[in-house]
Amino acid sequence: MKISVIGKPEGCKLLRIFLEVTEPLNRESIIMSLNIHGDFFAIPEEQFEEVEQELAGTRLGHLGENFDMAVADHRIQIEGISGRCVMEILRSVVHGI
Amino acid sequence: MAYEFRLLKTGFHNAFFNMGLDEAILESVAEERVPPTLRFYGWEPHAISIGYFQGIHEEVNLEACREKKVDVVRRITGGGAVFHAAEVTYSIVIPESHPLSRPSILDSYRLLCSGIIEGLSRLGIEAEFAPINDIIAGGRKISGNAQTRKKNCILQHGTILLSVDVDTMFSLLKVPQEKARGKLIQEVKARVTSIENLLGKSIGFDETARALEQGFSSALDLSLSEAEPTEAETIAAARISAEKFSSPAWTFKR
């Protein structure tokens, strides 16, 4: 199933998250694809796009920590986005994650 | 001893060439063919630029832009959508090995934005840095800035508003919740300001650019030598403009 959700948690830029995940929708759902749009900064930008692709296969409940790890692994500097930002926004549509 | 910088005043160009020239300058600074560079420029026709990670259909009313002949371009920098009309735009390119370079994005913004803050003070406007990437005066945003790092160089560009037309801006940009449009426009009017609003009179592009030039020079201890873009940069800018910034594949990549 496809999910799109928008939010601006405290300390984060306005983020639009587009996900395709397996059903049923819960913390065990597996991410098939992920795209994050917004006015955040991630340098190098191209590396962030690789992170989006690499996060396919992640369980929804682990997205925040895996996002932070992938960003660190790729040595990406980020401002206005983090695993916490992403998870806080997803919690508005996926309970218990 | 002051840092030697090249100063470019490249006038008004369309959005695609403007972004192409910023990238061409980055390439030539990276290849050490030119010194670190400060550039001032404007936009003709008016344009919307969106941040690297923004979705164009979510941010821009493309039909309204077509009707009003407003260009739409995706930047190589992150950040938000900007309506480029009555403003001075600057770009600054510095090698990461330069003493004015800072490892962190936020520290770089803070340092490079000090040039704008000093420039505004020369116009009689007291402004301050507002993390992550804004400058505010009287509690309202007067300048937005965006930065990237490529080829071991920092490119930061940004705008300083001469005047602001929020109604036109919102006819071109999409508002997340259509029902909140009226309220949002009022909120944005309360959050955004301009040199004209603050001083109660219009200050032209050239005068503002001169104040900013002095501001950068003083705040960052720059020795500026005015020049024209090299022939190679102009050719590269035209090529990058045509192949990248004008291409639907780039514009609609998100």
Side-chain angles (χ1 to χ4, degrees), chain B residues 124-163:
Chain B
I125 294 170
E126 193 177 324
E128 61 184 303
F129 179 61
I132 302 171
N133 57 315
D134 291 336
I135 294 170
I136 58 172
R140 296 155 80 188
K141 177 175 172 176
I142 191 168
S143 167
N145 305 275
Q147 190 182 114
T148 188
R149 290 165 191 239
K150 296 189 188 307
K151 303 186 178 187
N152 298 315
C153 284
I154 297 173
L155 162 65
Q156 181 170 311
H157 47 200
T159 65
I160 297 90
L161 288 170
L162 299 175
S163 65

Side-chain angles (χ1 to χ4, degrees), chain A residues 35-56:
Chain A
N35 274 101
I36 306 174
H37 294 183
D39 56 349
F40 57 93
F41 296 94
I43 298 173
E45 292 80 4
E46 297 80 4
Q47 290 286 306
F48 186 87
E49 290 169 322
E50 285 190 22
V51 166
E52 287 177 315
Q53 290 176 17
E54 286 177 14
L55 288 171

Side-chain angles (χ1 to χ4, degrees), chain A residues 41-87:
Chain A
F41 296 94
I43 298 173
E45 292 80 4
E46 297 80 4
Q47 290 286 306
F48 186 87
E49 290 169 322
E50 285 190 22
V51 166
E52 287 177 315
Q53 290 176 17
E54 286 177 14
L55 288 171
T58 297
R59 292 194 187 277
L60 212 45
H62 296 153
L63 178 57
E65 62 195 80
N66 286 2
F67 176 92
D68 287 336
M69 276 194 291
V71 163
D73 286 348
H74 283 261
R75 297 182 177 187
I76 300 171
Q77 277 204 61
I78 50 175
E79 290 289 346
I81 187 172
S82 66
R84 175 190 66 82
C85 299
V86 171
M87 293 307 280

Side-chain angles (χ1 to χ4, degrees), chain B:
Chain B
M1 198 169 80
Y3 302 115
E4 298 290 333
F5 264 60
R6 181 176 62 148
L7 173 66
L8 301 178
K9 296 175 179 177
T10 58
F12 290 71
H13 291 284
N14 70 45
F16 315 110
F17 185 85
N18 271 336
M19 293 297 93
L21 187 52
D22 273 356
E23 190 165 330
I25 292 166
L26 186 147
E27 287 176 358
S28 58
V29 172
E31 290 164 10
E32 299 183 354
R33 285 187 274 118
V34 296
T37 298
L38 174 66
R39 175 191 173 209
F40 294 110
Y41 58 101
W43 305 68
E44 185 54 52
H46 293 171
I48 299 279
S49 76
I50 61 168
Y52 184 95
F53 294 108
Q54 293 190 296
I56 192 160
H57 293 291
E58 296 140 22
E59 304 294 338
V60 185
N61 183 338
L62 292 169
E63 195 176 327
C65 288
R66 268 193 299 272
E67 281 173 9
K68 294 186 176 170
K69 300 192 189 314
V70 168
D71 287 341
V72 181
V73 69
R74 181 181 299 278
R75 300 190 304 270
I76 58 172
T77 51
V82 181
F83 174 44
H84 300 281
E87 66 176 39
V88 174
T89 309
Y90 77 93
S91 65
I92 187 164
V93 179
I94 304 172
E96 286 186 283
S97 58
H98 194 278
L100 289 173
S101 170
R102 295 290 179 272
S104 94
I105 299 174
L106 205 53
D107 288 346
S108 282
Y109 276 127
R110 190 182 302 278
L111 179 63
L112 299 180
C113 285
S114 67
I116 299 165
I117 292 166
E118 176 65 26
L120 288 170
S121 80
R122 286 165 190 260
L123 294 171
I125 294 170
E126 193 177 324
E128 61 184 303
F129 179 61
I132 302 171
N133 57 315
D134 291 336
I135 294 170
I136 58 172
R140 296 155 80 188
K141 177 175 172 176
I142 191 168
S143 167
N145 305 275
Q147 190 182 114
T148 188
R149 290 165 191 239
K150 296 189 188 307
K151 303 186 178 187
N152 298 315
C153 284
I154 297 173
L155 162 65
Q156 181 170 311
H157 47 200
T159 65
I160 297 90
L161 288 170
L162 299 175
S163 65
V164 58
D165 178 352
V166 176
D167 295 322
T168 300
M169 185 167 85
F170 272 101
S171 71
L172 301 169
L173 296 175
K174 284 187 177 169
V175 177
Q177 291 172 310
E178 201 62 27
K179 284 180 186 170
R181 189 182 186 88
K183 185 177 172 221
L184 194 76
I185 288 173
Q186 291 311 313
E187 284 176 1
V188 171
K189 279 181 176 171
R191 278 195 294 118
V192 177
T193 191
S194 66
I195 290 174
E196 184 180 72
N197 284 343
L198 289 162
L199 297 181
K201 61 178 181 179
S202 294
I203 303 287
F205 181 97
D206 291 338
E207 187 179 345
T208 303
R210 269 196 303 277
L212 292 167
E213 172 189 334
Q214 292 165 358
F216 274 105
S217 178
S218 169
L220 302 180
D221 194 19
L222 307 184
S223 172
L224 294 167
S225 299
E226 190 163 351
E228 298 291 324
T230 65
E231 187 179 353
E233 284 173 327
T234 305
I235 291 168
R239 175 181 52 76
I240 298 166
S241 165
E243 294 177 358
K244 181 175 182 176
F245 291 109
S246 304
S247 85
W250 171 260
T251 307
F252 292 89
K253 70 180 282 179
R254 279 179 178 261

